[in-house]
Amino acid sequence: MSTALHDQIRSFILENYLFTNDPSALALDDSLLGRGIVDSTGMLEIIYFIEEQLGVKVADQDMIPDNLDSVNRIAKYVQSKR
Amino acid sequence: MCGIAGFFFDDRQRSTEDTSLRAMIGAIHHRGPDGVGFHVEPGVGLGHARLSIIDLAGGAQPLANEDDSVWITYNGEVFNYVELREWLLTRGHTFKTHSDTEVIVHLYEELGDRFVDQLNGQFAFALWDRRQRRLLLVRDRAGILPLYYAEFPGGIAFASEVKALLAAKWIKPELDPTGLDELFTFWAPVAPRTVFRNVMQLQPGEMMIVGERQRHKQTYWSWAFPTQGEHRRAPQGQLQAELREVLADATALRLRADVPVGAYLSGGLDSSSLVALLKEKVPDTLHTFSIGFDDADLDESGFQQQVAARLKTQHHHMQCSHEDIARNFPATIRHAESPVLRTAPAPMRLLSGSVRKSDIRVVLTGEGADEVFGGYDIFKEAKVRQFWARNPSSAWRPALLKRLYPYLDITSAQSSAYLREFFGVGLDNPADPCFAHLPRWATTAQCKLFFADEWRAQIDGTAVERFRSGLPRMQSWDAFNRGEFVEARTLLPSYLLSSQGDRMLMASSIEGRFPFLDHRVIEFANRLHPSYKMRVLREKHLLKETMRPSLPSEIVGRHKQPYRAPDAAAFLGDNAPGYVKELLGADRLKQYGYFDPGKVSRLIAKLQRARVSAPRDNMAFVGVLSTQLWHATFVEGCGDL
């Protein structure tokens, strides 16, 4: 289910990694790593985004693909920490 | 070094246009400002722009043998010409000059096509055998000097630079989609391809035999390695002595010149080793040249000063700012004749310009040592990935990668799952000859996201598949050696020695010489077991141990720092030159048709607001800007913007 949070996360990734505003370019379950959308520096930027735009501090042990590798996973992680 | 150009018509009756040849040589005047020469006869034209290095008074070209039956126009140096000349004199040949060039025509008379095996040097030349009506085009073993050609209806033209081919008007300047695809994968198209449609280049170690309606290529030398289990092993002290001897001789040979010789000094192991070897041969005043950057992460000035002080050289340092790079980037692309994904060539051109202001006309550089002695991180990375591939489910094997890339620790993104995604490309096939390079190529290829859809549709297949299909069989070689071969076939000749090497040196009429690429050094190193190159994860082991007594310990012990220059940041400040905004604007992007204007505008916006500048965003930006510059320069015919 797409919520405002999902849309916000997807927009950030579309704008910063796929350089488009076309939502069809990224499905909510698409793997960011598997599709080569982010690299190691990209992960750093996503963490900045979560902390500063979404207001959730990401602990070291949480920086794993289970939490960060798709729009759905990031949204789920952020909701669990709010 | 010099510039050469010429042509061959299949119809020997076709009238030869002297004016075309003059236009071709005129386009590469910077390669040889000391004189021009032409030889024209029915069906054939040879032209030459001369940079005088050896036999200043007598080395004019094109030149011929005793009876004018063999002619040559030649770019480069044969360093063992003294010994070859002595041998040819004993065989009864008569010399008109003392140049290394004349040695080649007599050697050809003596040995036929195998003459090239005897040459130790860096060269690209055309040799015309008028009796047999055959033209030989020859490029040196490592690909230090360039040699391009283009076929047109009824003939073939050749030249040191593409701009000379364009000047003859037989071909139109057009960007080749497949060439650009390779550049956005390997950093440069792989020979014989170039970024120009219908313009090809000889591969390193290749000879092309041109006759009437006949073209035939043959490889006379290639990087080769022993079958696994047959590498050379010997006591390390013995190998160090042998390496020192062959390197010292390679360096001494490259001091043969009738003009003053200096050296580039980056502050790394390779150039520092070279300067140490040179200092033994040039005990008085040795001039060294280096470049520094305001960005502390990229600057090596401290190491450069340390080596210069220890070896007592006359050191010349120049500082390169963001503005210097941005202002000089259009001229850099005009000389490189290719888009680039890094700005690194621009400072190299400024450095050669600073050499030109001194009396020095020849510089020795440490280029090639990383390929010959195993210096790149990619070789370490591949070693860890090979180790990991034996047990792909292991969590701790890939953790060794953290030793290579300590910054991964910062993010905690170092969990095996992340490492698997970043470095696990191709893990299922460790025997793939491209195994070592797949992660790097996959990262670079992300820059193709910015290609316009219509442009992308013109690309023929995938770059990696095309490259793989052209590789020789090397399954019997050690994986380390396969990685070295791929490196020597791709980045070394097509980018490092070309866009960042020959072109940036010749832009200022400075000759570069490369002792680590003496074929005897390469062959010595290629026979060695890989453990002499990479000891566990310690790069260039044998070279380090060989040079340790001559260098400060900090230089031998420091981690390799790749040469890099400021990228996108140089073009995005308030002082950015007007051409940047103009060429990256939606109108111009749409007009040229290579890139998607919407995506490029988002990339620029991201780089302007980013606090962490991702390497691949930087590469994409420089790739887009330089491709736009390439089009403006070569297709639209703009001068420097």
Side-chain angles (χ1 to χ4, degrees):
Chain A
M1 187 186 70
S2 179
T3 63
L5 177 61
H6 288 84
D7 291 345
Q8 191 180 359
I9 296 166
R10 174 149 63 181
S11 294
F12 174 80
I13 293 165
L14 286 171
E15 184 73 22
N16 286 279
Y17 303 101
L18 293 168
F19 303 96
T20 178
N21 57 5
D22 175 9
S24 70
L26 182 69
L28 297 179
D29 277 323
D30 279 357
S31 163
L32 304 181
L33 292 164
R35 280 189 54 191
I37 293 169
V38 297
D39 58 12
S40 54
T41 317
M43 286 313 304
L44 209 62
E45 292 169 315
I46 286 182
I47 290 160
Y48 276 133
F49 166 73
I50 294 171
E51 293 188 340
E52 294 177 5
Q53 303 296 313
L54 305 181
V56 170
K57 178 100 179 121
V58 183
D60 282 358
Q61 67 272 18
D62 292 344
M63 294 177 189
I64 56 173
D66 279 353
N67 293 331
L68 304 174
D69 193 37
S70 69
V71 174
N72 274 340
R73 287 182 186 191
I74 296 171
K76 189 175 162 197
Y77 171 73
V78 168
Q79 282 162 341
S80 75
K81 295 291 175 184
R82 276 179 171 169
Chain B
M1 289 191 270
C2 304
I4 63 169
F7 53 81
F8 174 89
F9 294 149
D10 289 310
D11 176 1
R12 70 179 73 178
Q13 304 304 326
R14 182 169 166 180
S15 68
T16 308
E17 299 163 46
D18 193 17
T19 49
S20 299
L21 199 53
R22 287 183 183 278
M24 293 170 85
I25 288 298
I28 51 173
H29 176 72
H30 54 278
R31 296 187 70 91
D34 299 331
V36 295
F38 304 95
H39 170 75
V40 179
E41 62 180 270
V44 173
L46 306 176
H48 190 260
R50 185 177 187 216
L51 178 64
S52 303
I53 301 290
I54 290 176
D55 191 8
L56 306 186
Q61 292 187 48
L63 61 71
N65 64 343
E66 296 93 333
D67 63 1
D68 288 353
S69 62
V70 180
W71 283 83
I72 189 170
T73 183
Y74 165 82
N75 168 28
E77 309 291 349
V78 170
F79 299 116
N80 61 337
Y81 75 103
V82 175
E83 293 76 13
L84 291 171
R85 181 187 164 96
E86 282 173 12
W87 179 71
L88 287 163
L89 284 169
T90 68
R91 303 286 297 172
H93 291 270
T94 309
F95 284 81
K96 291 180 244 178
T97 74
H98 289 87
S99 71
D100 56 328
T101 312
E102 195 180 357
V103 165
I104 299 175
V105 292
H106 296 298
L107 203 61
Y108 172 73
E109 288 181 286
E110 194 65 33
L111 299 175
D113 291 356
R114 299 313 307 179
F115 75 107
V116 70
D117 296 336
Q118 303 304 315
L119 306 178
N120 182 345
Q122 51 194 50
F123 43 79
F125 57 84
L127 184 145
W128 169 236
D129 182 334
R130 67 194 310 186
R131 285 203 184 99
Q132 298 191 57
R133 290 199 69 76
R134 68 203 289 260
L135 182 74
L136 300 188
L137 301 176
V138 183
R139 191 176 181 200
D140 65 65
R141 294 174 179 86
I144 294 168
L145 295 190
L147 187 49
Y148 296 93
Y149 63 92
E151 298 204 57
F152 54 87
I156 184 170
F158 63 88
S160 300
E161 296 187 18
V162 179
K163 49 181 75 73
L165 298 176
L166 300 176
K169 311 271 186 205
W170 286 309
I171 52 162
K172 272 197 326 188
E174 288 180 280
L175 189 58
D176 180 46
T178 307
L180 193 70
D181 180 53
E182 291 190 2
L183 192 146
F184 273 60
T185 307
F186 310 125
W187 288 30
V190 180
R193 195 181 299 279
T194 74
V195 292
F196 288 84
R197 200 193 293 268
N198 299 322
V199 175
M200 310 300 271
Q201 56 181 321
L202 256 68
Q203 292 190 32
E206 193 172 59
M207 173 191 294
M208 184 173 186
I209 301 161
V210 179
E212 290 173 3
R213 278 168 282 280
Q214 290 182 342
R215 317 278 187 262
H216 168 69
K217 284 182 184 172
Q218 61 189 51
T219 301
Y220 68 87
W221 188 91
S222 178
W223 289 61
F225 298 91
T227 296
Q228 287 189 61
E230 295 179 7
H231 286 96
R232 183 173 177 216
R233 291 177 189 269
Q236 188 167 304
Q238 180 188 333
L239 293 177
Q240 285 176 211
E242 288 180 28
L243 174 56
R244 181 124 193 158
E245 188 179 338
V246 71
L247 271 180
D249 192 56
T251 306
L253 273 185
R254 281 159 182 77
L255 283 170
R256 288 178 171 173
D258 295 328
V259 294
V261 176
Y264 279 173
L265 176 59
S266 74
L269 176 74
D270 310 336
S271 64
S272 302
S273 297
L274 183 60
V275 170
L277 290 164
L278 267 172
K279 195 62 187 171
E280 293 172 5
K281 312 286 179 189
V282 188
D284 298 332
T285 306
L286 173 64
H287 290 267
T288 51
F289 298 85
S290 67
I291 198 155
F293 298 105
D294 298 339
D295 312 45
D297 290 350
L298 309 176
D299 188 64
E300 298 181 81
S301 301
F303 292 110
Q304 293 158 2
Q305 285 157 9
Q306 198 176 357
V307 176
R310 163 81 175 264
L311 298 174
K312 298 185 173 57
T313 72
Q314 182 76 42
H315 192 56
H316 309 256
H317 180 81
M318 67 166 293
Q319 198 72 8
C320 183
S321 67
H322 285 192
E323 288 75 21
D324 292 330
I325 290 173
R327 195 171 52 248
N328 286 283
F329 201 51
T332 300
I333 299 306
R334 179 165 55 78
H335 281 287
E337 299 185 320
S338 170
V340 290
L341 299 181
R342 297 275 197 202
T343 61
M348 296 307 290
R349 177 172 158 270
L350 297 173
L351 184 59
S352 70
S354 79
V355 175
R356 187 74 195 177
K357 288 180 192 148
S358 72
D359 293 333
I360 304 293
R361 293 293 172 265
V362 174
V363 286
L364 273 64
T365 94
E367 202 69 77
D370 285 319
E371 291 77 3
V372 176
F373 293 103
Y376 287 123
D377 277 348
I378 197 171
F379 297 137
K380 295 183 196 175
E381 188 184 299
K383 196 168 175 179
V384 174
R385 290 171 56 242
Q386 287 283 355
F387 177 62
W388 180 13
R390 293 180 183 188
N391 183 3
S393 62
S394 165
W396 67 267
R397 286 183 185 228
L400 278 170
L401 287 163
K402 283 183 281 181
R403 278 188 55 184
L404 313 186
Y405 305 104
Y407 64 84
L408 289 175
D409 285 330
I410 299 166
T411 67
S412 286
Q414 74 275 35
S415 72
S416 64
Y418 278 109
L419 290 170
R420 186 178 302 281
E421 292 301 337
F422 299 140
F423 299 105
V425 185
L427 214 61
D428 54 339
N429 184 13
D432 183 346
C434 300
F435 177 84
H437 290 75
L438 288 177
R440 181 167 82 190
W441 292 344
T443 300
T444 307
Q446 293 294 330
C447 298
K448 292 185 241 183
L449 177 70
F450 298 92
F451 282 172
D453 290 341
E454 300 78 12
W455 177 254
R456 192 194 316 275
Q458 298 177 52
I459 296 167
D460 177 21
T462 71
V464 174
E465 282 309 316
R466 271 193 311 277
F467 175 70
R468 194 184 271 125
S469 67
L471 287 172
R473 289 181 61 81
M474 41 185 179
Q475 290 312 314
S476 68
W477 294 353
D478 187 277
F480 191 89
N481 293 150
R482 293 197 292 263
E484 287 180 286
F485 183 90
V486 169
E487 197 68 24
R489 180 64 76 87
T490 53
L491 200 69
L492 177 66
S494 300
Y495 175 76
L496 294 174
L497 293 173
S498 178
S499 299
Q500 198 170 294
D502 171 84
R503 302 320 183 73
M504 297 305 116
L505 288 155
M506 293 311 294
S508 308
S509 309
I510 295 297
E511 175 170 308
R513 295 183 175 181
F514 308 85
F516 288 109
L517 292 174
D518 184 310
H519 69 279
R520 298 168 307 165
V521 177
I522 299 174
E523 289 168 357
F524 169 83
N526 286 4
R527 283 193 293 272
L528 298 175
H529 190 272
S531 63
Y532 292 110
K533 299 174 184 174
M534 186 74 69
R535 183 61 53 92
V536 191
L537 292 179
R538 186 167 174 274
E539 79 279 6
K540 286 187 286 200
H541 170 73
L542 186 66
L543 180 63
K544 280 183 174 173
E545 295 312 311
T546 302
M547 297 310 301
R548 186 180 291 282
S550 308
L551 295 173
S553 57
E554 294 88 341
I555 300 297
V556 178
R558 68 181 288 216
H559 183 76
K560 178 180 170 54
Q561 176 169 341
Y563 163 64
R564 284 194 53 201
D567 289 313
F571 303 94
L572 296 172
D574 295 337
N575 299 325
Y579 74 83
V580 178
K581 203 168 176 187
E582 172 72 26
L583 289 174
L584 297 181
D587 290 346
R588 203 64 83 88
L589 288 163
K590 205 176 293 176
Q591 180 192 339
Y592 293 179
Y594 307 129
F595 302 105
D596 181 317
K599 287 181 177 170
V600 172
S601 111
R602 286 186 165 83
L603 172 66
I604 295 167
K606 179 182 179 186
L607 285 164
Q608 281 171 329
R609 67 173 178 265
R611 83 189 88 191
V612 186
S613 187
R616 74 183 193 191
D617 292 341
N618 267 295
M619 277 197 288
F621 177 88
V622 175
V624 172
L625 177 62
S626 59
T627 305
Q628 293 291 98
L629 273 168
W630 181 94
H631 184 100
T633 305
F634 294 102
V635 180
E636 298 193 321
C638 301
D640 285 348
L641 297 160

